[in-house]
Amino acid sequence: MAEAENKQVIFKQYIEGVPKETDMEIKVSKTELKAPKGSGAILVKNLYLSCDPYMRGRMRDFRGSYIPPFVPGQVIEGFGVSEVVHSDNPNFKPRELITGLTGWEEYSLIQKTEQLRKIQQDGIPLSYHVGLLGMPGFTAYAGLYEVCSPCKDEYVFISAASGAVGQLVGQLAKLHGCYVVGSAGSNQKVDLLKNMLGFDEAFNYKEELDLDAVLKRYFPQGIDIYFDNVGGDMLDAALLNMRIHGRIAVCGMVSQQNLSDAKGIHNLFNLITRRVKMQGFLQSDHLDLYPRFLEDVTGYYKQGKIVYVEDMNEGLESAPAAFIGLFSGKNVGKQVIRVARE
Amino acid sequence: MAEAENKQVIFKQYIEGVPKETDMEIKVSKTELKAPKGSGAILVKNLYLSCDPYMRGRMRDFRGSYIPPFVPGQVIEGFGVSEVVHSDNPNFKPRELITGLTGWEEYSLIQKTEQLRKIQQDGIPLSYHVGLLGMPGFTAYAGLYEVCSPCKDEYVFISAASGAVGQLVGQLAKLHGCYVVGSAGSNQKVDLLKNMLGFDEAFNYKEELDLDAVLKRYFPQGIDIYFDNVGGDMLDAALLNMRIHGRIAVCGMVSQQNLSDAKGIHNLFNLITRRVKMQGFLQSDHLDLYPRFLEDVTGYYKQGKIVYVEDMNEGLESAPAAFIGLFSGKNVGKQVIRVARE
């Protein structure tokens, strides 16, 4: 096995506020294309990498969270789809495809192999394993079914609805017989929601001065389920429009990710009068459902009942800008980086 | 049956902000001590009336809530314990004791008799039927068991802990094997919590500059259950101290009752990272549990396992001031008005 050049995205230092491209740097190092003997590790070639808002949380120097911070000077870690190049682990063979946590680089040595999942190619795009069939898709599934318990004919509102999570929440809710409205940050995204993703209605929140009024317009009867991907003003407006026994899944709060002190939510009193449940969740608490999720969603996709919109950037060099773009809503659909051709 | 003088507390007009004594007025009218023939109503003499913070919500001109607003110029409605004077209803006889919604006056004609509960005198103070065994006690019971699902050895925090609801929440949580800390607004109340109500610890929030710090002091391991009776800053501080899979029962928000636009809650992001459930509730959604509640709590009281602290004011004239006092924490324990001697 030879040594190869290995382009990497390095995390520079802990940050506050909105992440910038310069918080990361591209470096080229050398990597032996081999897993050390006795390590139990595998050496993989990364094909697709996933840009996800939760990664912002790992750029803070805070150890009390559910996931440790990045290490300054080290390669950024994230979900990916990779091909095994060399294995010191009897469970993995060269040429096999895997998905799980890997590095933002061309080649990665993966020590923690227990959390990897092998991919059998079956006509589903490989990159979907970090989106539709990966953490974001499972977040949608667990959040909708475990936190929101949807019933047929209920009124469902989803913010950041064309994003990696929102687009699946909406389609699953539609399959469940709900009335589904999504908000997004551009007319292109609104068009996607209505004409491709099958939402009943959608609106561009940037064109609305009064979020309470727009929710009253789309939900004259009120909202049974709010799948909240943004927090902030949209959450505050949704609180004014919840129906009795409504449920709010608190998922991303992407609008608040960069703020140490958010603007504040003013309408929580409505939780009492309407007896609303508001629940934060992480997909990782529900992994027992993962096999059922994979089966369900793979089936829906193959039957043509759901689609998935990706925003694919080419080349590892494009990763920092693509990641930064998440926080201004630049991505249209799930943001993925193609690192190498399959 | 004769006509009698009937002192009444009249609701004057809809208000904003903190209620004042002058929002109510005492009036003396005449009432026939008789339920009209064919009305199915009962004429009662009120013995005890309950002052509850939720009543502030009925002083707004807002019909979208779970309970309609008071009618300006009419007698204030509230929970009470009353003696039947005359009955046009075969289910009620003179001299029987009942509890339920009645008027803030000496004599009331009650038309809606379905929601009344008859009281069998059994050594429990009659006034407890609007406190320990009434709506506030049942709020404590339903909120703790149905919303918070306590487990033995969990860490429980209760704000407004010596109030009508909080004092029972704490004692039930102790009986359940939890570690219980309460906050209150005076050293007298803190003393009650620690020395009479059996809380493990208690503190006077008015003597604390940093609520986050005080919660970290009393809960170095964090909070599993926060029974929130106040909202506002205390809720924000508790959000910083919740444990993974913690639960917040959103009950009173008494600190926010008078504000159309509260100061804002800034730490909701912690709902996600700690996977916290925050749920608003009303006891009236759980009435199927009421018989079990009555049996359980009556049993605990008779066995000396729980106590209940009341703040008893004498005379209907004292009702407006007693009600106002709730919003500055003047009451020590459950606020009750004795209208007539038993």
Side-chain angles (χ1 to χ4, degrees), chain A residues 117-135:
Chain A
R117 183 169 64 78
K118 284 196 206 182
I119 300 172
Q120 308 302 334
Q121 276 195 290
D122 59 353
I124 293 186
L126 272 187
S127 56
Y128 281 20
H129 289 278
V130 294
L132 179 66
L133 300 175
M135 182 276 289

PDB file of all heavy atoms in Angstrom, chain A residues 117-135:
ATOM      1  N   ARG A 117     -22.290   1.880   9.297  1.00  0.00           N
ATOM      2  CA  ARG A 117     -23.317   1.031   8.708  1.00  0.00           C
ATOM      3  C   ARG A 117     -22.884   0.708   7.281  1.00  0.00           C
ATOM      4  O   ARG A 117     -22.451   1.602   6.541  1.00  0.00           O
ATOM      5  CB  ARG A 117     -24.654   1.781   8.706  1.00  0.00           C
ATOM      6  CG  ARG A 117     -25.835   0.986   8.174  1.00  0.00           C
ATOM      7  CD  ARG A 117     -27.172   1.697   8.463  1.00  0.00           C
ATOM      8  NE  ARG A 117     -27.295   2.972   7.790  1.00  0.00           N
ATOM      9  CZ  ARG A 117     -27.604   3.119   6.498  1.00  0.00           C
ATOM     10  NH1 ARG A 117     -27.810   2.051   5.727  1.00  0.00           N
ATOM     11  NH2 ARG A 117     -27.706   4.325   5.959  1.00  0.00           N
ATOM     12  N   LYS A 118     -22.962  -0.573   6.907  1.00  0.00           N
ATOM     13  CA  LYS A 118     -22.595  -0.949   5.540  1.00  0.00           C
ATOM     14  C   LYS A 118     -23.738  -0.641   4.586  1.00  0.00           C
ATOM     15  O   LYS A 118     -24.907  -0.780   4.942  1.00  0.00           O
ATOM     16  CB  LYS A 118     -22.298  -2.450   5.482  1.00  0.00           C
ATOM     17  CG  LYS A 118     -20.947  -2.802   6.078  1.00  0.00           C
ATOM     18  CD  LYS A 118     -20.541  -4.198   5.655  1.00  0.00           C
ATOM     19  CE  LYS A 118     -19.592  -4.772   6.691  1.00  0.00           C
ATOM     20  NZ  LYS A 118     -19.140  -6.111   6.310  1.00  0.00           N
ATOM     21  N   ILE A 119     -23.377  -0.213   3.400  1.00  0.00           N
ATOM     22  CA  ILE A 119     -24.388   0.122   2.399  1.00  0.00           C
ATOM     23  C   ILE A 119     -24.396  -0.943   1.308  1.00  0.00           C
ATOM     24  O   ILE A 119     -23.349  -1.281   0.758  1.00  0.00           O
ATOM     25  CB  ILE A 119     -24.071   1.486   1.741  1.00  0.00           C
ATOM     26  CG1 ILE A 119     -24.043   2.586   2.799  1.00  0.00           C
ATOM     27  CG2 ILE A 119     -25.084   1.799   0.646  1.00  0.00           C
ATOM     28  CD1 ILE A 119     -23.548   3.923   2.266  1.00  0.00           C
ATOM     29  N   GLN A 120     -25.584  -1.471   1.060  1.00  0.00           N
ATOM     30  CA  GLN A 120     -25.773  -2.346  -0.101  1.00  0.00           C
ATOM     31  C   GLN A 120     -26.332  -1.470  -1.217  1.00  0.00           C
ATOM     32  O   GLN A 120     -27.378  -0.856  -1.043  1.00  0.00           O
ATOM     33  CB  GLN A 120     -26.775  -3.471   0.212  1.00  0.00           C
ATOM     34  CG  GLN A 120     -26.478  -4.272   1.468  1.00  0.00           C
ATOM     35  CD  GLN A 120     -25.121  -4.943   1.459  1.00  0.00           C
ATOM     36  OE1 GLN A 120     -24.568  -5.245   0.400  1.00  0.00           O
ATOM     37  NE2 GLN A 120     -24.553  -5.154   2.645  1.00  0.00           N
ATOM     38  N   GLN A 121     -25.664  -1.424  -2.357  1.00  0.00           N
ATOM     39  CA  GLN A 121     -26.176  -0.577  -3.446  1.00  0.00           C
ATOM     40  C   GLN A 121     -27.437  -1.181  -4.029  1.00  0.00           C
ATOM     41  O   GLN A 121     -27.459  -2.361  -4.401  1.00  0.00           O
ATOM     42  CB  GLN A 121     -25.104  -0.383  -4.511  1.00  0.00           C
ATOM     43  CG  GLN A 121     -24.179   0.769  -4.110  1.00  0.00           C
ATOM     44  CD  GLN A 121     -23.317   1.256  -5.245  1.00  0.00           C
ATOM     45  OE1 GLN A 121     -22.415   0.550  -5.675  1.00  0.00           O
ATOM     46  NE2 GLN A 121     -23.585   2.460  -5.740  1.00  0.00           N
ATOM     47  N   ASP A 122     -28.459  -0.395  -4.069  1.00  0.00           N
ATOM     48  CA  ASP A 122     -29.764  -0.909  -4.506  1.00  0.00           C
ATOM     49  C   ASP A 122     -30.544   0.139  -5.281  1.00  0.00           C
ATOM     50  O   ASP A 122     -31.761   0.215  -5.186  1.00  0.00           O
ATOM     51  CB  ASP A 122     -30.566  -1.360  -3.288  1.00  0.00           C
ATOM     52  CG  ASP A 122     -30.782  -0.215  -2.300  1.00  0.00           C
ATOM     53  OD1 ASP A 122     -30.199   0.883  -2.496  1.00  0.00           O
ATOM     54  OD2 ASP A 122     -31.542  -0.396  -1.333  1.00  0.00           O
ATOM     55  N   GLY A 123     -29.824   0.963  -6.043  1.00  0.00           N
ATOM     56  CA  GLY A 123     -30.512   1.933  -6.883  1.00  0.00           C
ATOM     57  C   GLY A 123     -30.801   3.255  -6.189  1.00  0.00           C
ATOM     58  O   GLY A 123     -31.267   4.197  -6.813  1.00  0.00           O
ATOM     59  N   ILE A 124     -30.546   3.328  -4.897  1.00  0.00           N
ATOM     60  CA  ILE A 124     -30.720   4.607  -4.198  1.00  0.00           C
ATOM     61  C   ILE A 124     -29.381   5.347  -4.263  1.00  0.00           C
ATOM     62  O   ILE A 124     -28.335   4.746  -4.012  1.00  0.00           O
ATOM     63  CB  ILE A 124     -31.153   4.361  -2.740  1.00  0.00           C
ATOM     64  CG1 ILE A 124     -32.564   3.762  -2.739  1.00  0.00           C
ATOM     65  CG2 ILE A 124     -31.102   5.647  -1.938  1.00  0.00           C
ATOM     66  CD1 ILE A 124     -33.178   3.597  -1.374  1.00  0.00           C
ATOM     67  N   PRO A 125     -29.408   6.622  -4.647  1.00  0.00           N
ATOM     68  CA  PRO A 125     -28.144   7.361  -4.731  1.00  0.00           C
ATOM     69  C   PRO A 125     -27.338   7.214  -3.437  1.00  0.00           C
ATOM     70  O   PRO A 125     -27.885   7.332  -2.333  1.00  0.00           O
ATOM     71  CB  PRO A 125     -28.597   8.807  -4.937  1.00  0.00           C
ATOM     72  CG  PRO A 125     -29.948   8.699  -5.581  1.00  0.00           C
ATOM     73  CD  PRO A 125     -30.564   7.455  -5.010  1.00  0.00           C
ATOM     74  N   LEU A 126     -26.055   6.966  -3.579  1.00  0.00           N
ATOM     75  CA  LEU A 126     -25.196   6.745  -2.400  1.00  0.00           C
ATOM     76  C   LEU A 126     -25.235   7.922  -1.427  1.00  0.00           C
ATOM     77  O   LEU A 126     -25.224   7.742  -0.214  1.00  0.00           O
ATOM     78  CB  LEU A 126     -23.749   6.545  -2.852  1.00  0.00           C
ATOM     79  CG  LEU A 126     -23.312   5.131  -3.208  1.00  0.00           C
ATOM     80  CD1 LEU A 126     -21.807   5.114  -3.469  1.00  0.00           C
ATOM     81  CD2 LEU A 126     -23.671   4.154  -2.066  1.00  0.00           C
ATOM     82  N   SER A 127     -25.267   9.146  -1.984  1.00  0.00           N
ATOM     83  CA  SER A 127     -25.229  10.336  -1.121  1.00  0.00           C
ATOM     84  C   SER A 127     -26.459  10.425  -0.217  1.00  0.00           C
ATOM     85  O   SER A 127     -26.422  11.077   0.823  1.00  0.00           O
ATOM     86  CB  SER A 127     -25.134  11.590  -1.983  1.00  0.00           C
ATOM     87  OG  SER A 127     -26.229  11.612  -2.895  1.00  0.00           O
ATOM     88  N   TYR A 128     -27.546   9.763  -0.585  1.00  0.00           N
ATOM     89  CA  TYR A 128     -28.755   9.802   0.255  1.00  0.00           C
ATOM     90  C   TYR A 128     -28.500   9.179   1.632  1.00  0.00           C
ATOM     91  O   TYR A 128     -29.283   9.388   2.558  1.00  0.00           O
ATOM     92  CB  TYR A 128     -29.917   9.063  -0.425  1.00  0.00           C
ATOM     93  CG  TYR A 128     -30.619   9.845  -1.512  1.00  0.00           C
ATOM     94  CD1 TYR A 128     -30.014  10.930  -2.131  1.00  0.00           C
ATOM     95  CD2 TYR A 128     -31.906   9.503  -1.912  1.00  0.00           C
ATOM     96  CE1 TYR A 128     -30.660  11.637  -3.143  1.00  0.00           C
ATOM     97  CE2 TYR A 128     -32.560  10.203  -2.913  1.00  0.00           C
ATOM     98  CZ  TYR A 128     -31.932  11.263  -3.527  1.00  0.00           C
ATOM     99  OH  TYR A 128     -32.583  11.959  -4.516  1.00  0.00           O
ATOM    100  N   HIS A 129     -27.422   8.419   1.739  1.00  0.00           N
ATOM    101  CA  HIS A 129     -27.149   7.791   3.038  1.00  0.00           C
ATOM    102  C   HIS A 129     -26.662   8.787   4.089  1.00  0.00           C
ATOM    103  O   HIS A 129     -26.586   8.450   5.265  1.00  0.00           O
ATOM    104  CB  HIS A 129     -26.182   6.612   2.866  1.00  0.00           C
ATOM    105  CG  HIS A 129     -26.833   5.452   2.171  1.00  0.00           C
ATOM    106  ND1 HIS A 129     -27.631   4.544   2.827  1.00  0.00           N
ATOM    107  CD2 HIS A 129     -26.865   5.097   0.864  1.00  0.00           C
ATOM    108  CE1 HIS A 129     -28.104   3.654   1.955  1.00  0.00           C
ATOM    109  NE2 HIS A 129     -27.658   3.975   0.755  1.00  0.00           N
ATOM    110  N   VAL A 130     -26.316  10.026   3.673  1.00  0.00           N
ATOM    111  CA  VAL A 130     -26.095  11.080   4.680  1.00  0.00           C
ATOM    112  C   VAL A 130     -27.284  12.046   4.727  1.00  0.00           C
ATOM    113  O   VAL A 130     -27.227  13.048   5.441  1.00  0.00           O
ATOM    114  CB  VAL A 130     -24.779  11.863   4.465  1.00  0.00           C
ATOM    115  CG1 VAL A 130     -23.582  10.940   4.679  1.00  0.00           C
ATOM    116  CG2 VAL A 130     -24.730  12.511   3.088  1.00  0.00           C
ATOM    117  N   GLY A 131     -28.329  11.769   3.968  1.00  0.00           N
ATOM    118  CA  GLY A 131     -29.480  12.677   3.946  1.00  0.00           C
ATOM    119  C   GLY A 131     -30.755  11.932   4.244  1.00  0.00           C
ATOM    120  O   GLY A 131     -31.054  11.626   5.396  1.00  0.00           O
ATOM    121  N   LEU A 132     -31.440  11.579   3.175  1.00  0.00           N
ATOM    122  CA  LEU A 132     -32.730  10.901   3.311  1.00  0.00           C
ATOM    123  C   LEU A 132     -32.648   9.684   4.237  1.00  0.00           C
ATOM    124  O   LEU A 132     -33.533   9.474   5.078  1.00  0.00           O
ATOM    125  CB  LEU A 132     -33.209  10.450   1.926  1.00  0.00           C
ATOM    126  CG  LEU A 132     -34.548   9.703   1.893  1.00  0.00           C
ATOM    127  CD1 LEU A 132     -35.692  10.610   2.293  1.00  0.00           C
ATOM    128  CD2 LEU A 132     -34.799   9.111   0.505  1.00  0.00           C
ATOM    129  N   LEU A 133     -31.602   8.876   4.082  1.00  0.00           N
ATOM    130  CA  LEU A 133     -31.490   7.647   4.872  1.00  0.00           C
ATOM    131  C   LEU A 133     -30.483   7.779   6.010  1.00  0.00           C
ATOM    132  O   LEU A 133     -30.155   6.795   6.674  1.00  0.00           O
ATOM    133  CB  LEU A 133     -31.104   6.471   3.962  1.00  0.00           C
ATOM    134  CG  LEU A 133     -32.108   6.183   2.836  1.00  0.00           C
ATOM    135  CD1 LEU A 133     -31.583   5.083   1.923  1.00  0.00           C
ATOM    136  CD2 LEU A 133     -33.473   5.793   3.411  1.00  0.00           C
ATOM    137  N   GLY A 134     -29.989   9.000   6.225  1.00  0.00           N
ATOM    138  CA  GLY A 134     -28.980   9.216   7.266  1.00  0.00           C
ATOM    139  C   GLY A 134     -29.549   9.978   8.452  1.00  0.00           C
ATOM    140  O   GLY A 134     -30.756   9.957   8.712  1.00  0.00           O
ATOM    141  N   MET A 135     -28.660  10.669   9.131  1.00  0.00           N
ATOM    142  CA  MET A 135     -29.062  11.374  10.348  1.00  0.00           C
ATOM    143  C   MET A 135     -30.210  12.355  10.123  1.00  0.00           C
ATOM    144  O   MET A 135     -31.183  12.353  10.883  1.00  0.00           O
ATOM    145  CB  MET A 135     -27.813  12.052  10.949  1.00  0.00           C
ATOM    146  CG  MET A 135     -28.023  12.795  12.227  1.00  0.00           C
ATOM    147  SD  MET A 135     -28.634  14.482  11.958  1.00  0.00           S
ATOM    148  CE  MET A 135     -27.171  15.287  11.278  1.00  0.00           C
TER     149      MET A 135
END
